[in-house]
Amino acid sequence: MAVSEAQKRATAKWQKEKVEEVKFRVPKGECAVIQAHANQQGESTTAFIKRAIKETMERDNAEKHE
């Protein structure tokens, strides 16, 4: 089923209000490696990257308080 123009506008409005984007570059070929790893973990690429960032931040913060 096709998405209506009203639904597209509503989605765009929600994203503008609720979501920020972080863009970064990787060397050619690395994107495929990241995607493959995420798939092996049963995650989307976005979910994997978010988890990796969160876990790294938690570890860094824990090390500061030791």
Side-chain angles (χ1 to χ4, degrees):
M1 180 166 81
V3 178
S4 70
E5 289 301 315
Q7 183 61 48
K8 288 178 186 178
R9 286 192 305 273
T11 299
K13 180 178 184 256
W14 182 86
Q15 287 179 337
K16 185 176 181 180
E17 293 173 356
K18 306 288 184 187
V19 179
E20 294 179 310
E21 288 187 15
V22 176
K23 295 181 181 184
F24 65 98
R25 292 175 174 82
V26 296
K28 286 196 182 258
E30 192 170 325
C31 185
V33 173
I34 293 168
Q35 289 172 328
H37 182 81
N39 288 336
Q40 289 172 349
Q41 301 303 309
E43 296 176 296
S44 68
T45 303
T46 299
F48 166 66
I49 292 169
K50 288 169 60 176
R51 180 173 61 84
I53 291 168
K54 181 180 177 187
E55 289 177 4
T56 300
M57 290 172 58
E58 288 173 350
R59 184 179 61 242
D60 290 350
N61 288 332
E63 290 173 359
K64 286 181 184 177
H65 299 293
E66 289 181 353

